[in-house]
Amino acid sequence: MRLTTKGRFAVTAMLDLAMRAEGGPVTLAGISERQSISLSYLEQLFGKLRRRNLVDSVRGPGGGYCLARPVEEITVADIVTAVDEPLDATQCAGGHNCHDDEHSCMTHDLWAGLNKTIQSYLASVSLAQLIEHHEARQRGDNIVQFEQRIGRITETTKHAIAH
Amino acid sequence: MRLTTKGRFAVTAMLDLAMRAEGGPVTLAGISERQSISLSYLEQLFGKLRRRNLVDSVRGPGGGYCLARPVEEITVADIVTAVDEPLDATQCAGGHNCHDDEHSCMTHDLWAGLNKTIQSYLASVSLAQLIEHHEARQRGDNIVQFEQRIGRITETTKHAIAH
DNA sequence: AAATATCCTAGTGATTTAGTCAACTAAAAA
DNA sequence: TTTTTAGTTGACTAAATCACTAGGATATTT
C-alpha cells in the first residue's frame, strides 16, 4: 500500500461528499471550491473511485456524485487503495515473490508486517467515524483519538493469527 | 515518517553489519558486495547513520563501521528516520501546524494516528529481533511473525493514552 | 609513499506528483 | 430543439523526488 498526498486528497474529498450526501448528488465543482482541490484533479480521482464502486455518478444538471454504499461501509483503506493503486514492483514491497534470494529478503517479513499494520489501521476507520469525529470536534467535545482503534485492530489481528 | 526504498536499503545494510560486527569494523565495500547495494549509495546512507549516532566509523586500512549501541537498542524506526529525514512541509503530513483551518484538516487526526501506528510498529522491532528472526528462518523453525508484535504496541499505546 | 577506507559535495536520469487542457457524452432545462 | 450542466476520457507537462553515480578530500595503517 502506497501512501501519498493523492490518497489524502481522495479521503478529504470523500469526506466532503459524505457530509452533504443527503441533499442529493454533490458536484465536483463544489468539492473543488470547498476543499481547494483542482477540479481536473478531482475528476481523475473520482474516475478511479467510480470504477472501484465507491461512488455513483449522475450526469446532467442537478447531477454529481453519491456514495455507492452507506458511510459505515466505506473505509479509508478502500479509498486509498482505489486511488493509489498497488504497482508494488519494487523488490519486496509486500509481494511474495522473493523467497529464493536470501539476502534481499532478510527483512521481507518486517515490511510485510508493516503493510499489514497500515492496512489494518486504515481499514478500521470508516467515513462514518470520520464524520462523527469531525462533528464532535466542532461541538468541542472531548476528542476520541483514532489511536485508540489500535486496540480493536489487535483483537482482529490476534483472531486472524490464531486461525 | 516517510517510507521509501532508501529506508529499506538502510535496514538491510545495518542488519548485514550487525550480523558480522563481532569480527571488528565492517567495510562498506563488503556490505556492498553481499547486499548488492552500490558503494557510493552506502556511503551516503552511512553518513547519515553516523550523524545520528547509530554507527561509529574507523578510518584507514582495517577500518569500517561498527554499531554504536547494542543490537537490542537499535530499532528499525531509528534507522528509517535517520536516512529518510522528515522534511514534511506538505500540509498535515503529521505536524501539528494546521489547527486553524477547518477544511484541510478534517482528516488531520486520522493521519496523525497512522503516523503513530507506523512509528510504534517500527520502534517495536530491534536489530536483535531481526537477527533472531533470520536465524530462526535459516534453521527452519516455525516463524514468529512480526505481526504479533502489534499486541505489545497496543499495550504501550494504551498506556501512553492513559497518561 | 602507497594503499585502504571513510567523508563530502554535486550532479543526473528516470520516475512520480499534481496537476492542466481539450474534446466528448449524457441528461435535463429552456 | 437548443443550450447548459456535469461527468468521462486521454494526452500532456512542470516540478519534485528517488535512486543512484562521480570525483575528490581526508584520515589511518603498512
Side-chain angles (χ1 to χ4, degrees):
Chain A
M1 167 168 300
R2 283 195 311 190
L3 295 169
T4 68
T5 58
K6 188 188 283 188
R8 288 206 288 271
F9 278 132
V11 172
T12 300
M14 284 290 279
L15 185 52
D16 183 291
L17 170 56
M19 281 167 46
R20 54 195 84 225
E22 281 126 24
V26 179
T27 67
L28 292 190
I31 298 176
S32 170
E33 202 171 324
R34 287 186 297 272
Q35 306 298 335
S36 305
I37 306 173
S38 91
L39 176 59
S40 306
Y41 199 36
L42 282 174
E43 287 170 354
Q44 221 178 83
L45 298 179
F46 275 78
K48 292 181 178 181
L49 294 170
R50 192 176 57 87
R51 264 167 246 133
R52 295 295 199 99
N53 294 316
L54 295 180
V55 296
D56 290 326
S57 60
V58 181
R59 291 177 153 206
Y65 284 93
C66 313
L67 295 179
R69 303 202 292 259
V71 283
E72 292 81 12
E73 294 172 26
I74 298 179
T75 71
V76 175
D78 293 332
I79 299 169
V80 171
T81 57
V83 300
D84 272 341
E85 338 205 4
L87 183 69
D88 54 11
T90 45
Q91 50 188 359
C92 216
H96 301 278
N97 50 341
C98 50
H99 286 297
D100 43 329
D101 184 13
E102 296 177 28
H103 288 318
S104 66
C105 288
M106 290 186 302
T107 59
H108 174 96
D109 294 335
L110 170 69
W111 306 119
L114 176 60
N115 277 347
K116 204 164 206 162
T117 303
I118 294 173
Q119 177 72 33
S120 296
Y121 176 78
L122 294 182
S124 80
V125 181
S126 68
L127 278 182
Q129 287 161 356
L130 279 181
I131 293 171
E132 186 188 357
H133 183 270
H134 181 243
E135 287 171 351
R137 181 166 266 238
Q138 281 198 326
R139 285 195 306 270
D141 289 3
N142 278 344
I143 300 297
V144 178
Q145 294 296 332
F146 287 115
E147 285 87 334
Q148 289 189 358
R149 297 201 185 290
I150 296 171
R152 299 189 200 167
I153 297 169
T154 307
E155 295 314 313
T156 310
T157 310
K158 277 178 183 164
H159 192 262
I161 288 172
H163 291 77
Chain B
M1 165 167 300
R2 281 193 312 190
L3 296 168
T4 68
T5 60
K6 188 188 284 187
R8 288 205 288 271
F9 278 133
V11 172
T12 299
M14 285 289 280
L15 185 53
D16 183 291
L17 170 56
M19 281 167 48
R20 55 195 83 224
E22 282 123 26
V26 179
T27 67
L28 292 191
I31 298 178
S32 169
E33 202 170 323
R34 287 187 297 273
Q35 305 299 334
S36 305
I37 306 173
S38 92
L39 177 59
S40 305
Y41 199 36
L42 281 174
E43 286 172 354
Q44 216 177 86
L45 298 180
F46 275 78
K48 293 181 178 180
L49 293 170
R50 192 177 57 86
R51 265 165 246 135
R52 295 296 199 97
N53 295 316
L54 295 180
V55 295
D56 290 328
S57 61
V58 181
R59 288 179 154 205
Y65 286 93
C66 313
L67 294 180
R69 303 201 292 259
V71 285
E72 292 81 11
E73 294 173 26
I74 298 180
T75 70
V76 174
D78 293 332
I79 299 169
V80 171
T81 58
V83 299
D84 272 342
E85 340 206 3
L87 182 71
D88 56 10
T90 44
Q91 51 188 355
C92 215
H96 300 278
N97 52 342
C98 49
H99 286 297
D100 44 329
D101 183 14
E102 297 176 29
H103 288 316
S104 66
C105 288
M106 291 186 301
T107 60
H108 174 97
D109 294 335
L110 171 68
W111 306 119
L114 176 60
N115 277 345
K116 203 164 207 162
T117 302
I118 294 173
Q119 176 74 32
S120 296
Y121 176 77
L122 295 183
S124 80
V125 181
S126 69
L127 277 182
Q129 286 161 356
L130 279 182
I131 293 172
E132 185 188 357
H133 183 270
H134 181 243
E135 288 171 351
R137 182 167 266 236
Q138 281 198 325
R139 285 195 307 270
D141 289 4
N142 277 344
I143 301 297
V144 178
Q145 295 295 334
F146 287 114
E147 286 86 335
Q148 290 190 359
R149 300 202 183 288
I150 297 172
R152 301 189 197 166
I153 298 170
T154 307
E155 295 313 314
T156 311
T157 310
K158 276 179 182 165
H159 191 261
I161 289 172
H163 290 78

